[in-house]
Amino acid sequence: MDPLQQQRYFSQELLDWYVVIKRDLPWRRHSNPYFIWISEIMLQQTRVDTVIPYFNRFIEKFPTVEALADAPEDEVLKCWEGLGYYSRARNLQYAARQIRDQYGGIMPSGKEEVASLKGVGPYTAGAIRSIAFNVPAPAVDGNVMRVLSRYFLIEENIMKTGTRKLMEELVLQLIPEGRASDFNQGLMELGALVCTPKSPKCLTCPVMVHCRGRIEGMEDKLPVKAKAKPPRQEYRLTAIIEGSGVESGKVLIRKRPSTGLLAGMWELPHISEVPPDGDAARHVMLPDAAAAKKLAEELGRERLPVVPGEHVMAAEHTFSHIHWNMRVYTCSWSPAVPAMAAESAAAYDASPSIPEAGSSPGPLYQWITADDMERYAFPNVFLRILNAYFANI
């Protein structure tokens, strides 16, 4: 079969297959470009079955571009809580304000206009334009690159910009006239359901007959992908600061800085176990008593007067480039303990709301009960810690 016939076969068989088997997903029940945009942002590095309940809740709370643009950021982050990659939520709201202010609240369809939206890269721009507006635009993500690598026996490293460009050009050749929406969704569906990363279901694949990767026995070796750099290991000591008196039964949380990792979210106070000039690779964990003492001393430098308590649990969390190894200790709030003078202007120390010794926390710190957790957006790791703690008191 010549290359042109191979392409035509692929496109027609894929479309016929997709029309029959496409999943009933909530964002596919509408032609609303706003809904499609929200779903595509949520689906970045996240499984479909995880996204569905989040999508439904998000759309119920923020049904229009204007509703999202006008909402307090804390409400948006709370609605996103648990999905991870929280910069997506902040970028989403920023882009909603762009759409409100620049396009009258109507999602644009032009290539430059869509690409100019905060948080919208080449894949997402192509997905929005093709799915929502049926524009012949490539939407090349990991699923798509895997399918194309196998079917057309492309042995180039898919992590290279040139390979992605090659595949985008190939998709433009493959999209049948007037069928961009179905074709791109079918391509994504094939990668998600059949042409999976491991153990692809070749016998149920609609294009298996002319798949060059399968014919050459290369399906398990494609796509070619350079190994990602392993995440950096960090060791952190985390405090559950227990209140007393009028704050009895509550714990202290703090708000992260407005920029950087997990910006603007709430967390438990925590410190690095490894000194700034230390080597995490050679790190030897402190005994619990010494770790709790170090934690209390460092919190004192943040002007949080506490008495060290006991080790209660361990937790881990992996970001794209960092892996947190966390040990969690109870501490007791004790204004009678003199807080040390801060030795450096850390991000948390920059605000005048940091409590002085003997005072109560300010706006960047809050005392909460289990019931109060609904009011604050927490990263997953702190949700797990707090839920486990409150379940056992």
Side-chain angles (χ1 to χ4, degrees):
M1 178 177 284
D2 65 46
L4 185 58
Q5 287 179 312
Q6 187 187 25
Q7 290 181 14
R8 288 174 177 168
Y9 168 85
F10 179 89
S11 299
Q12 189 57 57
E13 294 298 320
L14 178 68
L15 281 170
D16 291 347
W17 172 81
Y18 176 69
V19 168
V20 173
I21 65 86
K22 67 178 180 179
R23 288 174 288 180
D24 179 23
L25 302 175
W27 46 89
R28 286 180 177 165
R29 299 170 192 164
H30 311 271
S31 58
N32 188 329
Y34 171 67
F35 291 179
I36 292 166
W37 169 47
I38 298 297
S39 71
E40 286 299 329
I41 298 297
M42 287 187 168
L43 286 165
Q44 292 173 4
Q45 302 188 55
T46 309
R47 294 171 56 86
V48 167
D49 54 356
T50 299
V51 165
I52 290 173
Y54 279 94
F55 173 84
N56 290 332
R57 286 195 298 268
F58 199 91
I59 291 302
E60 182 178 358
K61 191 167 185 65
F62 311 113
T64 63
V65 168
E66 290 84 354
L68 176 57
D70 296 340
E73 182 182 275
D74 285 349
E75 286 188 14
V76 177
L77 290 174
K78 185 64 183 177
C79 203
W80 199 272
E81 183 182 73
L83 265 182
Y85 301 98
Y86 292 94
S87 61
R88 293 183 297 171
R90 284 185 287 272
N91 290 341
L92 196 63
Q93 186 173 41
Y94 186 101
R97 291 168 178 163
Q98 287 179 279
I99 297 169
R100 178 196 62 192
D101 298 341
Q102 297 175 29
Y103 306 109
I106 299 174
M107 188 78 186
S109 61
K111 182 177 180 179
E112 290 77 15
E113 291 83 357
V114 174
S116 73
L117 298 176
K118 185 81 167 177
V120 173
Y123 162 76
T124 305
I128 293 169
R129 296 181 67 231
S130 63
I131 297 171
F133 301 104
N134 203 31
V135 172
V140 176
D141 67 353
N143 278 338
V144 170
M145 287 193 283
R146 184 169 59 254
V147 171
L148 297 181
S149 291
R150 288 171 174 168
Y151 184 81
F152 292 99
L153 196 63
I154 299 172
E155 299 181 74
E156 302 296 323
N157 180 3
I158 63 170
M159 301 301 289
K160 291 184 176 180
T161 303
T163 306
R164 175 180 289 274
K165 183 73 173 175
L166 180 153
M167 292 191 178
E168 288 174 345
E169 293 172 353
L170 178 55
V171 168
L172 283 175
Q173 297 171 26
L174 291 169
I175 296 175
E177 185 175 354
R179 301 296 302 275
S181 179
D182 281 348
F183 178 83
N184 275 351
Q185 289 185 87
L187 199 49
M188 298 171 195
E189 201 86 321
L190 185 64
L193 302 181
V194 177
C195 198
T196 50
K198 296 180 180 179
S199 303
K201 304 173 182 67
C202 293
L203 293 180
T204 63
C205 178
V207 296
M208 65 167 288
V209 174
H210 298 293
C211 174
R212 291 185 59 199
R214 182 193 65 82
I215 293 169
E216 298 293 334
M218 294 281 288
E219 66 271 23
D220 290 326
K221 298 179 178 65
L222 294 172
V224 174
K225 182 178 180 180
K227 289 186 178 180
K229 185 178 179 181
R232 181 177 74 251
Q233 298 295 316
E234 291 190 359
Y235 299 86
R236 309 198 72 80
L237 304 176
T238 303
I240 296 177
I241 301 175
E242 299 174 323
S244 59
V246 295
E247 311 297 355
S248 181
K250 298 181 180 180
V251 300
L252 188 67
I253 60 172
R254 72 181 178 192
K255 195 168 190 178
R256 291 184 64 83
S258 58
T259 58
L261 183 68
L262 305 174
M265 302 194 74
W266 291 84
E267 65 180 3
L268 292 167
H270 56 99
I271 67 167
S272 174
E273 187 174 352
V274 181
D277 58 350
D279 183 354
R282 299 175 181 272
H283 172 66
V284 177
M285 290 196 304
L286 294 169
D288 281 330
K293 181 181 178 182
K294 176 182 175 68
L295 177 59
E297 289 175 349
E298 291 295 324
L299 293 179
R301 292 189 176 91
E302 291 186 21
R303 306 186 192 96
L304 298 178
V306 298
V307 175
E310 299 179 345
H311 175 263
V312 289
M313 68 184 81
E316 295 183 34
H317 190 76
T318 302
F319 302 96
S320 58
H321 60 298
I322 300 171
H323 181 84
W324 278 357
N325 301 275
M326 308 175 75
R327 289 193 286 166
V328 186
Y329 297 84
T330 55
C331 293
S332 301
W333 178 261
S334 181
V337 175
M340 302 178 185
E343 295 181 349
S344 62
Y348 298 104
D349 296 331
S351 168
S353 67
I354 302 296
E356 298 294 339
S359 70
S360 297
L364 290 187
Y365 290 77
Q366 296 292 336
W367 290 107
I368 66 164
T369 64
D371 292 339
D372 295 325
M373 288 177 62
E374 287 301 315
R375 297 165 49 198
Y376 302 94
F378 295 94
N380 271 343
V381 63
F382 295 107
L383 270 180
R384 296 197 303 270
I385 293 170
L386 283 165
N387 286 331
Y389 171 79
F390 282 125
N392 286 287
I393 61 171

